[in-house]
Amino acid sequence: MTDGVLEMTGPVDALLVLSFGGPEGQEDVIPFLENVTRGRGIPAERLEEVATHYRQLGGRSPINDLNREIITHVEEELARSGRDLPVYFGNRNWTPMIEETVRQMTADGIRTAAVFATSAWGGYSGCAQYQEDIARAREQVPGAPSMVRLRQFYDHPLFIERFAADLRTAVDSAAPGARVIFTAHSVPEAADAVAGPPTLGGRLYSRQVAEASRLVARAAGVAEHDLVWQSRSGPPSVPWLEPDVVDHVRELAGSSGVRDVVIVPIGFISDHVEVIWDLDTELVDEVRELGVTVTRTATPGPSPEFARMVLQLLDEVESGVQGDRLGDVPALGCNRDGARCAVGCCSR
Ligand SMILES: CC1=C(CCC(=O)O)c2cc3nc(cc4[nH]c(cc5[nH]c(cc1n2)c(C)c5CCC(=O)O)c(CCC(=O)O)c4C)C(CCC(=O)O)=C3C
Ligand SMILES: [Fe+2]
């Protein structure tokens, strides 16, 4: 693939795992949501609703623990490969905040770091916003290390294979003929339209999600699948990617008499709130009365393959040599110090 120039760093001093962050107790829920939604025009009713999801989960999102688990596996893989590389953890919306982490890295004498952002995708939320986080944190910390992000990994063989193996397991345990449905976070149509530079045709987010779904289905030997979207916010008047997962399963149950579905949360690396609430709780409850049984596949984040993928992505930037990729849609995101992927990329 000729898309996206891979930055080359040579050996780095550290790896920073950069993620979204989530509340760890009831008292964190509102301050967390305020951080997430600062300046983003999300209606108050939607926020109240999302707050109730977090509250019913004890005020605690699983996301930070899941990221710590990924970091432990990455540290184990590094040790196995004989490498003594410190791994740091920082978030956009909750402690440890990226600014604090970069301050610590600087104090520890780190001069160059690779950054693994926990989203596989292009687009504003999955990519550009992480670049902004990196740029902001570096601006606030004098002497901050130079930081190069690892690329969007939507088509990495280990990512695809882990999802595919878990899809196989789910298909084998579900009723024969169950409908396979991939789901990812919806975004505004307008955001998807400007995801990626204009020269690459836009819609990088939805095209990558569709390509990853196709690759996983093919690797799992699944002949037919659907792709739907979930967890939309924003006022109803603003178009977001559709169909919605609940609407789609309802429709299938009505028009085609579908009774068994296998849901692949392709858009999420781990069992985040969007997975354990929006799918395992809300979707399951909404379609139960229609007699639909939902089998939800596992997510790859906690697997050893995922940690091995992170090491391979790290090797790509250190060596400047592109590793194996399975997809035909561009993968960008490998940029220095929070620079945009390209002119006009994800202007939102
Ligand atoms: C594409 C995408 C990903 C996947 C890429 C990636 O992984 O980064 C993602 C991940 C996540 N989103 C998360 C949480 C939230 N996202 C929100 C709001 C929004 N997400 C959006 C998009 C995405 N989001 C968008 C377009 C909005 C509207 C506001 C805006 O334009 O920014 C809101 C506000 C309330 C609401 O409206 O739902 C919350 C609380 C969590 C943490 C979950 C946990 O705690 O386990 C995670 C991993
Ligand atoms: Fe989100």
Side-chain angles (χ1 to χ4, degrees):
M1 296 288 310
T2 53
D3 52 272
V5 181
L6 202 62
E7 286 277 353
M8 183 173 65
T9 62
V12 293
D13 301 334
L15 175 68
L16 166 62
V17 173
L18 173 59
S19 193
F20 196 93
E24 302 203 307
Q26 294 291 5
E27 67 288 353
D28 296 349
V29 171
I30 295 300
F32 161 74
L33 288 175
E34 282 169 358
N35 287 348
V36 175
T37 58
R38 187 162 293 143
R40 308 203 52 80
I42 295 173
E45 315 82 74
R46 167 70 190 169
L47 268 196
E48 249 325 298
E49 189 195 322
V50 174
T52 66
H53 303 168
Y54 281 95
R55 288 207 188 92
Q56 288 177 67
L57 294 165
R60 191 175 178 88
S61 163
I63 192 169
N64 300 338
D65 290 335
L66 290 163
N67 282 324
R68 290 185 195 105
E69 196 176 339
I70 289 172
I71 288 169
T72 300
H73 291 155
V74 168
E75 288 169 340
E76 285 166 5
E77 285 296 329
L78 284 166
R80 198 163 295 142
S81 67
R83 218 161 147 198
D84 185 18
L85 188 75
V87 184
Y88 290 85
F89 179 31
N91 290 312
R92 176 189 305 154
N93 300 303
W94 203 249
T95 54
M97 295 290 271
I98 179 175
E99 291 88 347
E100 304 161 31
T101 306
V102 169
R103 204 160 276 126
Q104 185 63 51
M105 292 168 77
T106 309
D108 292 347
I110 304 298
R111 305 299 307 278
T112 58
V115 182
F116 175 72
T118 58
S119 165
W121 318 107
Y124 182 72
S125 307
C127 182
Q129 211 174 353
Y130 286 115
Q131 312 287 32
E132 291 176 3
D133 297 332
I134 291 168
R136 188 187 59 247
R138 290 190 71 259
E139 256 166 43
Q140 290 181 15
V141 182
S146 167
M147 302 203 269
V148 171
R149 233 192 101 188
L150 308 182
R151 70 169 170 85
Q152 295 157 11
F153 54 87
Y154 84 92
D155 66 342
H156 194 284
L158 292 170
F159 182 67
I160 297 297
E161 281 158 21
R162 186 64 255 167
F163 259 120
D166 291 331
L167 173 54
R168 259 289 31 111
T169 304
V171 165
D172 289 346
S173 76
R179 184 91 159 221
V180 173
I181 302 171
F182 288 78
T183 174
H185 205 301
S186 188
V187 301
E189 279 281 354
D192 191 43
V194 297
T199 47
L200 293 176
R203 303 208 165 275
L204 214 55
Y205 175 64
S206 61
R207 284 161 60 208
Q208 289 177 345
V209 171
E211 180 76 341
S213 303
R214 185 184 73 78
L215 292 166
V216 169
R218 192 182 62 183
V222 167
E224 262 186 80
H225 68 272
D226 304 332
L227 171 58
V228 301
W229 308 92
Q230 64 172 89
S231 316
R232 69 158 285 159
S233 51
S237 57
V238 176
W240 284 50
L241 298 180
E242 287 180 351
D244 175 79
V245 63
V246 176
D247 295 344
H248 182 69
V249 177
R250 274 215 191 96
E251 163 86 24
L252 287 175
S255 65
S256 324
V258 168
R259 291 292 171 267
D260 295 279
V261 295
V262 170
I263 299 283
V264 188
I266 189 77
F268 303 93
I269 60 162
S270 297
D271 287 2
H272 300 153
V273 169
E274 287 91 338
V275 176
I276 62 173
W277 188 269
D278 298 7
L279 298 174
D280 296 351
T281 309
E282 203 167 66
L283 172 67
V284 167
D285 286 351
E286 295 275 347
V287 302
R288 184 182 292 120
E289 67 206 31
L290 303 172
V292 177
T293 301
V294 177
T295 305
R296 199 263 296 168
T297 70
T299 49
S303 71
E305 290 89 338
F306 194 84
R308 284 213 298 282
M309 174 189 77
V310 175
L311 263 70
Q312 289 186 13
L313 294 168
L314 173 63
D315 182 63
E316 283 185 0
V317 296
E318 290 191 317
S319 68
V321 179
Q322 171 80 68
D324 286 345
R325 291 192 39 205
L326 300 177
D328 286 334
V329 178
L332 310 178
C334 183
N335 292 71
R336 196 175 286 271
D337 297 339
R340 280 285 159 109
C341 296
V343 175
C345 194
C346 310
S347 47
R348 165 161 99 85

